[in-house]
Amino acid sequence: MATNDESKKVRKLQVRRFKPEENPEKHYLNEEKGLWAWMTTVDHKKIGLMYLGSIVFFFFVAGVLALLLRTELLTPARSFMDADMYNQVFTLHGAIMIFFFLVPSVPAVLGNFILPLQLGAKDVAFPRLNLASYYIYVIGALFTLFAIFTGGVDTGWTFYTPYSSTTSGGNIMAMTFGIFILGFSSILTGINFMVTIHKMRSPGITWNKLPLNLWGLYATSIIQILATPVLAITLLLLTMERMLSIGIFDPAIGGDPVLYQHFFWFYSHPAVYIMIVPGFGIISEVISTFSRKVIFGYWAIALSSLAIAFIGFLVWGHHMFTAGQSSLANMVFSFLTFLVGIPTGIKIFNWLATMYKGSIDLKTPMVYALVFLFLFTIGGFTGIMLGALAVDIHLHDTYYVVAHFHYVMMGGMVMAFLAGLHYWWPKMFGKMYSEFWAKITCAVIFVGFNMTFLPQFVMGAQGMPRRYFNYIDQFQSFHQFSTIGAYIMGVGFVMMAAYMIHSLVKGKPASSNPWGSRALEWQTSSPVPLHNFEHTPVIINGPYDYHKPMSEFQLGIAAKHGHHHAEEEVAVKVSKQEKE
Amino acid sequence: MSGHHISSAKFLWGVAISLFILTFLTVGVAYIHIPEPWNVVVKISIAAVKAVIVAAFFMNLWWDSKFNVMLFIMSILFFVLLVGITLLDTLYRVDPVPSF
Amino acid sequence: MSQPSAVEEKLEHLQHHFIDSDQQFEASKLGMWIFLVTEILFFGGLFAAYIVYRSWYPELYLLASEELDVFWGAVNTFVLIGSSLTVAMAIRSAQLNQIRGLIINLWITIGLAVTFMVIKYFEYAEKIEKGILPGAHYSYDGIAHEKANIFFSIYYMMTGLHGIHVLVGIGLMVWLVFKAKKKVFHSGYYTPVEITGLYWHLVDVIWIFLFPLLYLID
C-alpha cells in the first residue's frame, strides 16, 4: 500500500522544453477520416464534438418550443395552440432542455474535450465506455423523440404522480424510459471522469495544481454518481406504476405521492448542481486567464465546489413546501437551503478578488464570464427568497420560480457554457471567430435575456401562476415584453450560429495559445494532435501562475533513448495517485 | 501494490463459514421473539456484520486503498441521508398518508 | 511497480493510454467501486421506500412476512454466500495462474446462481398462484391488512431488481468462462475477473440485507 511518506517524496525528472507546433498539418480532426471512423472513435475529443452536435440540436429544438410558448402567451386567451398542446410543449421544453441539454452540456462536451488535456493524459481512463456513454445518450434521445411523436407528454418535466402514473394520456412510458437510459450515460461519464482525475495525471499535477475546471468536474461527477441512481430507481418505479400499477406512489391503491416527490427531488435538486458546478469551473479558468492574474483563493474555490455538491443533497425538500410534507421537514429544509448561499458567495467574491487589480482583457469569453456573474447573482439571490419558507408559500408555482430558474440555468449555466465554448473554440477547431460579431451577439443575448425574464419576476410576485395557458388581462403587457425579449434572444443565437459557422469555414487560423494562458491544454498545438501531447508533460507550477515565464509551463519528460538531450532537471512531488 | 492481495484458500473458507454461522444465528434469533424495536436492531446488526465481512475479506477492502473504503462508506452515508431526511417528513406528518 | 516479474510479462491487454498494467488495473478497480456506489444508491431508493412504509405500518410487515418462506429464504442466503466464496476462489486461481481452477470455480458460481434463480422462481410461482401480485392486481385475502398489496409491491420490486442483477451476473460469468478458455487471463491480467467478482459480492451483500428485512420480520 502507498504509505504517507511516499506521497511527500520528491522525484527528479530529466526534462526539456516542448514548444507546441503552430498550425500542425496532422491533428485529431484530419488524422482519421470518414464517417465510420468518427462513429466508432474512442478519442475523447471527437466524442466531445459528437456530444456538441447533439446538444446543439436539442438546444435548437427546445429553444423553438420555448419561442412557441412565448408566442402563445402574446394574448391572454388562446392565440394559436390549444391548452393540451400548450401543456405538451412546456413539458417537452423543460424535459429536453434539462435532460438532453443542461445535464450533459458542460461535462459531456467541454469536460470530455478538456479534461484529459488539462491532465496531460492521452485519453480518459475508459475510452470505450466513453463512446458507449454517447450512444446510450443517443438511444435515450431516440426514445424521447419516439415519445414526442406517439402522443407526447403533458405532465411537466417533473412527472409528478399520480397524474403521470394514471390520469395523463400520452406516451409517458417511452419518455421516462428514455430518461432512465439517459441517466446511465450520465453515471458512466461521471465514473470515467472521476477515475481519470484520480489515475491519469501527468507527473507533478498534485491536488493543489489541479485546474479549477477539473475541481468543478470532479464535484459534478460526485453528484452524478450519488444522485442519478436514485432518479433511475424513481423512474423505474414510475414505469412499473404505469405498467403494473404497483401503487407505491398512487394514493388510489394505497401509496403516497409525496414519496415520489422526495425521490424525484433527491436527484433533481442535486441535478441543478450537475448543471451549474462545471460552469463554475469554466468561469474560474476564464476569469484568471483574462485578468492575467493568479486565481484568488484557489482552495476556497476548489473546496466550495465540493461543499456545494454535498449541501446540494440536503435541501431537496424546498421544492415541496406546499406539497403537504410535515412542517418539521419544511423548517429543516428551509434552513439547510440557506447554507447553499455560503459556498456560492465564496466563489463570487473570489472571482471578483481575482479581477481586482488584474490586467483585464475583455475578450468574448471574459465578457460572457462577466454576464454570468451579473445574471447568476440575481438568480442566486432570488433563490434565497424562494428558500425562505414563508415567502415561498406566496411565490411557489408562480412565474417568480420560472424567472429564478432561468436566471440560474440560462443566465448562469448557459452563459458559462458559452464562455467555455468561446474560450476553447480555437483549441477545438484551430480557428478564430470574429471577436466583433461575438461581442455584438453577446450584447443581443444579454438584452434579450433580461427583457424575457425580468418581467417574469414582477408577474410572479403579483401572482401569475406558472404553466398556465391563459392569464388575466392585467399581465398582458408583461407577457408581451417577455415574448419580444425571447425573440431578441432567438436572433442572438442565430447570429451566434452564423459567425461560428463562418469561423469554421473561413476563420483565421488560431495560434496554439491565443489567450496567453498558462494552463496545460494550451501547451499543445491547435487543433490538438490525435494523442494530445507528443511528450509526457511535467508540471512544476500552478495553472494560474501568470507571474512565471511561459517556458516553465512547457516542460516534458526528455526521451531516454531519443536524440533529444535533457535540458535540465526538475524536482516534482510524487503524488499517491499518479504513476511514472 | 495494494490491489494484488492473494488470500489463501483456507482463509476464504474461514470467511465463508463465519458467514454461514451468522446466517444460522440470524434465523435462530427470529425464533426467540425479542421485543419490538430490538429484534430489528439485532437482525440488522448481524446483517451489517456480514456485509462488512464480505466487503473487507471477499471484496478485499481490508487491503485496498483507503479511497475505495471511503467510497463504500460514502455510499452508505448518502443512503442514510436519503432515508433520514425523508423520515423527517413522513414520520411527522399530521396525516400519515393523505386520504383520498 | 518496476520490479521485474518472474513470469515474462505479457502486455497484449495494456491499452495505449495507460502507462503500465498496474495503472490500468487500479483504474478499472476504482471505476468498479464507483459503479458499486451507484448500485448501492440504486437499491437505496427501494430500501428507503421499504423503511418509510414500515415506519407507517409496522403491523403490516409482521403479517405479510409470514407469507414468505423462511426456509427457502435461508437456503438462498447459503447459496449466494457459497457463490461469493467460489468467486473469491476463482479470483485466487486467476492470481495464481491456475486457469483450470478459474474455469471450474466460475462454473460452480454459475450453477449456484442458477440454483438461486430456480428457488426464486418457485417462490414467485407459489405467490402468484395465490393471487399475491403487486399493487392493483393483488387479490389474496389471507392477510388482514388493507395495504398488504403495497408490501408485496415493495417485495417484488426489491427481489425482482435483485434477481435481474443475478441474471446479469450469470451473463458476465459465462462471458468470463469463454474468455478464460481463450487463455486471455493470467496472473498479470485478470482485471475482468476481479471486477466481476466485486459486482457479485455486492449482489450478495444486498441479499444479506433483503433476507432479514423481508423474511425474518417476526
Side-chain angles (χ1 to χ4, degrees):
Chain A
M1 182 183 278
T3 50
N4 276 335
D5 49 64
E6 195 185 331
S7 64
K8 294 192 189 87
K9 234 194 276 174
V10 166
R11 184 155 47 110
K12 295 258 192 271
L13 288 175
Q14 302 290 318
V15 295
R16 54 180 286 265
R17 286 167 219 284
F18 290 85
K19 275 216 154 170
E21 188 189 345
E22 294 299 336
N23 304 312
E25 270 178 30
K26 274 186 162 185
H27 48 75
Y28 81 103
L29 288 168
N30 64 11
E31 211 157 302
E32 295 164 340
K33 280 211 168 81
L35 186 65
W36 186 246
W38 268 85
M39 286 176 64
T40 57
T41 184
V42 290
D43 180 33
H44 66 98
K45 303 181 285 297
K46 287 182 185 166
I47 293 172
L49 292 192
M50 295 201 291
Y51 269 117
L52 179 62
S54 312
I55 67 149
V56 166
F57 169 74
F58 280 112
F59 184 72
F60 174 75
V61 171
V64 169
L65 292 175
L67 289 180
L68 291 178
L69 291 174
R70 289 303 335 160
T71 310
E72 169 57 39
L73 290 170
L74 268 174
T75 60
R78 179 195 155 111
S79 304
F80 74 100
M81 56 168 111
D82 60 15
D84 280 339
M85 185 71 179
Y86 183 84
N87 289 348
Q88 290 197 7
V89 172
F90 81 66
T91 301
L92 290 175
H93 166 71
I96 294 179
M97 275 293 187
I98 286 171
F99 294 111
F100 293 91
F101 172 71
L102 288 170
V103 170
S105 59
V106 176
V109 178
L110 298 175
N112 245 326
F113 195 93
I114 293 304
L115 183 136
L117 285 171
Q118 287 193 325
L119 291 173
K122 284 182 185 148
D123 209 320
V124 290
F126 312 117
R128 277 177 297 179
L129 195 67
N130 201 16
L131 184 67
S133 309
Y134 176 71
Y135 282 109
I136 293 171
Y137 169 86
V138 172
I139 293 169
L142 288 178
F143 266 98
T144 308
L145 291 175
F146 175 74
I148 295 175
F149 292 117
T150 54
V153 183
D154 63 349
T155 57
W157 73 277
T158 47
F159 309 113
Y160 273 6
T161 53
Y163 183 66
S164 59
S165 61
T166 48
T167 330
S168 164
N171 204 339
I172 291 175
M173 290 273 285
M175 187 81 181
T176 46
F177 197 61
I179 292 167
F180 176 79
I181 295 173
L182 195 72
F184 285 97
S185 160
S186 189
I187 288 175
L188 295 178
T189 305
I191 293 178
N192 223 333
F193 284 5
M194 249 181 110
V195 175
T196 311
I197 291 174
H198 268 273
K199 300 289 182 194
M200 308 284 288
R201 297 188 234 154
S202 284
I205 305 188
T206 46
W207 283 109
N208 59 357
K209 292 199 176 74
L210 206 60
L212 286 166
N213 182 42
L214 297 187
W215 275 104
L217 285 170
Y218 189 74
T220 310
S221 304
I222 292 177
I223 311 175
Q224 282 178 318
I225 285 154
L226 291 170
T228 318
V230 178
L231 175 75
I233 193 70
T234 312
L235 293 178
L236 191 68
L237 283 168
L238 178 59
T239 314
M240 286 295 141
E241 194 97 345
R242 225 179 142 76
M243 206 158 71
L244 302 171
S245 328
I246 55 169
I248 293 176
F249 300 138
D250 186 353
I253 311 176
D256 178 34
V258 179
L259 194 61
Y260 171 84
Q261 298 187 17
H262 277 295
F263 285 7
F264 181 80
W265 289 112
F266 183 84
Y267 165 76
S268 292
H269 191 76
V272 302
Y273 299 112
I274 294 180
M275 304 169 204
I276 196 71
V277 170
F280 292 156
I282 294 172
I283 297 298
S284 307
E285 300 284 313
V286 169
I287 284 184
S288 175
T289 301
F290 292 99
S291 303
R292 290 285 175 280
K293 200 166 150 253
V294 67
I295 194 100
F296 187 90
Y298 173 88
W299 277 109
I301 296 182
L303 294 182
S304 61
S305 288
L306 293 179
I308 290 174
F310 179 69
I311 299 172
F313 278 94
L314 306 177
V315 302
W316 77 80
H318 65 221
H319 296 269
M320 301 161 57
F321 283 158
T322 60
Q325 67 180 349
S326 73
S327 32
L328 173 69
N330 276 348
M331 286 189 292
V332 171
F333 278 125
S334 182
F335 170 74
L336 291 171
T337 300
F338 294 141
L339 294 182
V340 184
I342 298 169
T344 319
I346 288 174
K347 280 183 186 296
I348 302 273
F349 286 119
N350 278 300
W351 289 326
L352 293 179
T354 305
M355 283 193 275
Y356 179 66
K357 287 192 175 171
S359 159
I360 295 176
D361 186 3
L362 279 179
K363 288 282 192 310
T364 311
M366 185 60 172
V367 178
Y368 274 109
L370 295 179
V371 169
F372 167 92
L373 284 182
F374 183 76
L375 298 180
F376 184 74
T377 307
I378 295 177
F381 274 127
T382 51
I384 294 289
M385 290 180 215
L386 288 169
L389 191 47
V391 185
D392 183 72
I393 302 297
H394 174 62
L395 294 175
H396 200 90
D397 272 347
T398 66
Y399 264 70
Y400 196 90
V401 177
V402 177
H404 156 70
F405 192 63
H406 283 85
Y407 262 86
V408 283
M409 286 297 115
M410 176 118 203
M413 187 270 144
V414 176
M415 294 307 146
F417 176 71
L418 292 178
L421 189 66
H422 285 83
Y423 180 60
W424 284 305
W425 185 268
K427 188 55 58 184
M428 290 171 138
F429 297 106
K431 298 280 177 67
M432 298 304 285
Y433 46 82
S434 160
E435 207 40 64
F436 174 77
W437 284 107
K439 279 181 191 151
I440 298 279
T441 304
C442 180
V444 172
I445 292 177
F446 180 74
V447 170
F449 177 85
N450 283 299
M451 277 180 70
T452 314
F453 294 109
L454 263 182
Q456 296 188 359
F457 280 124
V458 184
M459 269 194 280
Q462 291 182 355
M464 169 75 210
R466 68 194 282 208
R467 293 179 171 174
Y468 272 37
F469 163 71
N470 285 352
Y471 52 87
I472 50 178
D473 295 341
Q474 171 195 349
F475 296 120
Q476 187 169 14
S477 50
F478 289 119
H479 270 301
Q480 288 181 337
F481 195 73
S482 183
T483 303
I484 295 168
Y487 287 140
I488 294 177
M489 211 164 26
V491 170
F493 281 106
V494 172
M495 286 165 69
M496 182 180 296
Y499 73 74
M500 285 303 204
I501 291 170
H502 180 267
S503 150
L504 285 183
V505 182
K506 287 189 174 166
K508 276 186 226 145
S511 68
S512 61
N513 191 356
W515 318 124
S517 170
R518 297 297 194 266
L520 188 53
E521 77 269 24
W522 297 103
Q523 313 305 340
T524 183
S525 4
S526 308
V528 185
L530 189 59
H531 294 305
N532 297 351
F533 293 90
E534 310 294 351
H535 55 281
T536 304
V538 174
I539 298 299
I540 54 170
N541 298 316
Y544 308 109
D545 288 350
Y546 284 92
H547 49 285
K548 293 187 177 150
M550 187 68 86
S551 58
E552 280 191 23
F553 294 82
Q554 298 172 336
L555 303 176
I557 290 179
K560 273 177 194 155
H561 307 295
H563 50 279
H564 299 302
H565 294 292
E567 291 172 355
E568 59 189 294
E569 193 179 65
V570 294
V572 295
K573 272 192 183 157
V574 179
S575 151
K576 237 197 269 183
Q577 313 293 344
E578 137 233 324
K579 299 279 180 176
E580 283 184 41
Chain B
M1 257 321 278
S2 53
H4 296 292
H5 175 86
I6 304 179
S7 306
S8 72
K10 216 189 244 172
F11 179 79
L12 291 176
W13 270 102
V15 172
I17 288 167
S18 65
L19 290 170
F20 290 142
I21 292 171
L22 284 169
T23 308
F24 273 120
L25 191 67
T26 192
V27 175
V29 162
Y31 287 97
I32 313 179
H33 295 291
I34 306 175
E36 196 23 70
W38 297 105
N39 58 354
V40 186
V41 174
V42 169
K43 278 170 217 154
I44 293 303
S45 310
I46 294 177
V49 170
K50 283 161 78 179
V52 167
I53 291 175
V54 173
F57 303 118
F58 274 166
M59 297 167 100
N60 288 343
L61 271 189
W62 188 263
W63 303 276
D64 210 338
S65 87
K66 290 200 182 66
F67 187 76
N68 291 353
V69 181
M70 201 195 81
L71 279 175
F72 192 61
I73 294 171
M74 202 163 73
S75 67
I76 310 289
L77 185 85
F78 275 81
F79 165 67
V80 171
L81 272 181
L82 167 66
V83 174
I85 303 184
T86 306
L87 284 177
L88 273 188
D89 165 28
T90 59
L91 284 184
Y92 295 95
R93 281 201 210 146
V94 184
D95 179 16
V97 176
S99 40
F100 275 76
Chain C
M1 280 158 264
S2 47
Q3 293 161 349
S5 58
V7 194
E8 196 177 321
E9 273 219 83
K10 293 196 232 168
L11 289 173
E12 299 130 35
H13 58 271
L14 188 63
Q15 289 172 292
H16 82 277
H17 59 289
F18 288 110
I19 285 148
D20 57 24
S21 301
D22 252 343
Q23 189 190 24
Q24 181 170 325
F25 176 76
E26 291 287 319
S28 303
K29 205 169 64 170
L30 177 60
M32 193 61 196
W33 268 108
I34 300 173
F35 180 73
L36 295 188
V37 169
T38 72
E39 285 282 9
I40 290 172
L41 281 151
F42 190 52
F43 277 96
L46 288 174
F47 278 100
Y50 173 96
I51 292 171
V52 166
Y53 277 98
R54 185 160 181 181
S55 72
W56 276 337
Y57 310 112
E59 72 289 352
L60 160 69
Y61 280 63
L62 285 176
L63 289 171
S65 75
E66 280 170 17
E67 288 300 322
L68 303 178
D69 195 326
V70 176
F71 175 74
W72 288 113
V75 169
N76 258 350
T77 311
F78 285 113
V79 167
L80 267 199
I81 292 175
S83 73
S84 252
L85 170 68
T86 53
V87 152
M89 298 294 267
I91 294 169
R92 183 185 138 77
S93 306
Q95 285 169 328
L96 298 174
N97 238 346
Q98 299 161 347
I99 302 308
R100 233 178 81 81
L102 167 66
I103 293 171
I104 292 171
N105 275 308
L106 284 174
W107 276 124
I108 301 175
T109 313
I110 294 168
L112 288 169
V114 170
T115 313
F116 178 89
M117 288 312 288
V118 168
I119 293 176
K120 205 80 232 147
Y121 167 79
F122 283 113
E123 282 191 275
Y124 274 14
E126 186 249 0
K127 283 185 193 60
I128 291 168
E129 187 93 340
K130 281 189 191 167
I132 300 181
L133 286 160
H137 307 288
Y138 183 83
S139 62
Y140 180 62
D141 47 11
I143 301 171
H145 198 289
E146 53 167 351
K147 306 267 183 188
N149 56 348
I150 298 292
F151 175 85
F152 284 102
S153 292
I154 293 172
Y155 166 82
Y156 277 114
M157 282 305 295
M158 285 180 128
T159 53
L161 197 62
H162 180 262
I164 290 172
H165 278 79
V166 173
L167 289 179
V168 170
I170 293 173
L172 285 174
M173 270 171 302
V174 170
W175 170 74
L176 285 183
V177 169
F178 273 103
K179 283 268 177 183
K181 281 190 174 158
K182 282 190 188 160
K183 306 250 182 285
V184 176
F185 305 125
H186 48 85
S187 58
Y189 174 70
Y190 57 91
T191 316
V193 188
E194 168 95 17
I195 64 173
T196 308
L198 285 178
Y199 168 85
W200 191 253
H201 293 310
L202 188 86
V203 172
D204 185 22
V205 166
I206 302 243
W207 182 259
I208 284 176
F209 282 98
L210 286 182
F211 174 56
L213 284 177
L214 293 170
Y215 291 78
L216 293 180
I217 293 174
D218 191 28

